[in-house]
Amino acid sequence: MELVEGCINNFKGVVESLIMNLVFFSGFLLVLWLLTFFQRGRNFLFKWRGWLPWAAIGLAVVSLSLISYWQYEAFLHSDFYKFLLPPYQGWGYFVTYIFTRFWRRWLVGLIMSLIFFFLADYFNKKKDGRLFYEEEPYFLAAMVSLTSYPGSLIFFTLSFILMILQALWFKLMKKDGFISFYKWWGLLALVSYVLGEYLLLGTQLYSKIIF
């Protein structure tokens, strides 16, 4: 009975974490996406472009901290899992547990968002600012960091596919040009996040790309 009760409490903590991530992360992604459709929104993104990645990081830290606390509470009130916490043993197991389960995938997504930012900024400067709007790399970095992992990997993959298709289209039409995805990065990030966090969860593909 103690084992069953502990598992139930632990499951509640997992459900709460999924709901919190859904509300915080996807909500922020949705707001960023909607801002791109309005001139005032675009002015806002331009004005505060340097703060967008920091806002995303702050949101993620708050969300993951709450999730970690809820997981601690689930362990603490379980007749089984409480023995994995002090004073029965050190903090090592719990810290490793929450890092592996919650924080690690976000940190990987954060690293990938930095890579995405520097690549976008580099190629944009190389093309004299013709690839992206000035604020675009910043809100791209903010969005990619919140897609976590494997959402960030999905985002990279879908972005690469879209770029290739665009290049092939212009080549077939024998035209020079570039179509901006400014208004659609947010949708791509939302799709990547949902795919990574929910639709692929528990599938064989998920087990191969997650670590």
Side-chain angles (χ1 to χ4, degrees):
M1 289 298 294
E2 292 179 355
L3 178 60
V4 173
E5 182 183 349
C7 290
I8 292 174
N9 286 331
N10 190 44
F11 175 74
K12 289 180 179 178
V14 173
V15 172
E16 289 172 346
S17 70
L18 290 174
I19 294 174
M20 181 57 71
N21 267 337
L22 176 64
V23 173
F24 276 18
F25 286 21
S26 61
F28 189 83
L29 291 172
L30 181 61
V31 169
L32 284 181
W33 180 39
L34 292 177
L35 285 174
T36 63
F37 286 90
F38 305 96
Q39 187 59 47
R40 288 187 178 180
R42 294 177 64 170
N43 292 339
F44 174 86
L45 293 174
F46 177 79
K47 181 180 180 180
W48 300 102
R49 60 190 182 280
W51 288 97
L52 292 177
W54 292 109
I57 291 173
L59 179 68
V61 169
V62 170
S63 175
L64 293 172
S65 296
L66 287 173
I67 291 169
S68 301
Y69 173 74
W70 288 342
Q71 193 66 73
Y72 171 78
E73 285 290 311
F75 274 36
L76 186 64
H77 293 93
S78 166
D79 291 336
F80 176 79
Y81 288 99
K82 68 179 182 181
F83 293 107
L84 301 175
L85 299 172
Y88 302 102
Q89 62 173 288
W91 287 101
Y93 174 83
F94 181 73
V95 171
T96 302
Y97 178 86
I98 61 172
F99 175 78
T100 303
R101 188 155 195 172
F102 304 123
W103 290 86
R104 183 174 61 177
R105 294 194 295 116
W106 172 72
L107 288 172
V108 172
L110 178 62
I111 293 172
M112 295 185 75
S113 74
L114 292 174
I115 295 173
F116 205 102
F117 171 79
F118 287 116
L119 286 176
D121 188 58
Y122 170 77
F123 285 109
N124 198 40
K125 289 179 180 178
K126 194 173 183 181
K127 294 293 184 179
D128 298 322
R130 290 177 294 163
L131 294 180
F132 302 103
Y133 291 96
E134 189 173 346
E135 70 274 16
E136 205 166 347
Y138 293 92
F139 74 76
L140 272 172
M143 290 188 292
V144 173
S145 69
L146 291 181
T147 59
S148 191
Y149 181 88
S152 52
L153 178 61
I154 297 171
F155 187 90
F156 265 99
T157 304
L158 293 178
S159 299
F160 181 75
I161 292 173
L162 287 174
M163 295 296 183
I164 294 297
L165 290 175
Q166 179 180 231
L168 289 174
W169 169 258
F170 279 108
K171 189 173 183 179
L172 289 172
M173 298 302 293
K174 297 181 180 180
K175 294 181 179 180
D176 293 327
F178 183 81
I179 300 174
S180 174
F181 293 105
Y182 186 93
K183 293 182 178 181
W184 303 107
W185 289 124
L187 177 61
L188 190 63
L190 276 169
V191 170
S192 301
Y193 175 70
V194 172
L195 282 173
E197 290 293 317
Y198 301 103
L199 298 185
L200 293 182
L201 190 65
T203 64
Q204 186 176 2
L205 176 62
Y206 188 90
S207 64
K208 290 182 179 179
I209 62 177
I210 203 68
F211 53 83

